[in-house]
Amino acid sequence: MNDPSRVDDDRGCLLLVLAVPLVLLTLIAAYFCWTALGIRPSGPWDDDAYAGIVLSCVLTIGAAAAAVAVWALPPVRRVMRWWWVGPALLLGVVAAVRWATGA
């Protein structure tokens, strides 16, 4: 009936469970990156718009870093390939460039 030497492979279910926080963090990063790219200051005097850009960039980088930290855990890396964290890394880089340019 059941062979005790055979190990059931439950990577599909584990992948689904581990993908949820990673996808949610990537969606959060995408939203704040979209916000950072959508804010247009009215002029050099518009400090509130510049503060909004900085805040959106910081939140994007924070969510992307959290996604990378989740993926960097050894049990997660065994199940999920590197491309799962690729979009979050890309969003973090876009936010860092937006923050650096500031315009």
Side-chain angles (χ1 to χ4, degrees):
M1 296 214 288
N2 288 338
D3 184 13
S5 64
R6 195 184 92 194
V7 177
D8 289 332
D9 190 17
D10 62 349
R11 289 185 187 198
C13 186
L14 185 60
L15 178 68
L16 182 64
V17 169
L18 294 175
V20 170
L22 200 60
V23 169
L24 287 177
L25 286 168
T26 302
L27 288 174
I28 291 169
Y31 173 75
F32 284 114
C33 187
W34 174 71
T35 304
L37 294 173
I39 297 174
R40 299 284 178 223
S42 298
W45 48 267
D46 197 359
D47 293 332
D48 291 336
Y50 288 113
I53 291 170
V54 169
L55 179 63
S56 294
C57 290
V58 167
L59 291 173
T60 301
I61 293 169
V68 170
V70 166
W71 179 80
L73 297 171
V76 179
R77 270 198 332 252
R78 269 186 252 137
V79 177
M80 304 179 90
R81 300 289 175 224
W82 65 268
W83 55 266
W84 276 92
V85 78
L89 284 173
L90 181 64
L91 290 166
V93 168
V94 168
V97 168
R98 174 67 168 150
W99 189 3
T101 59

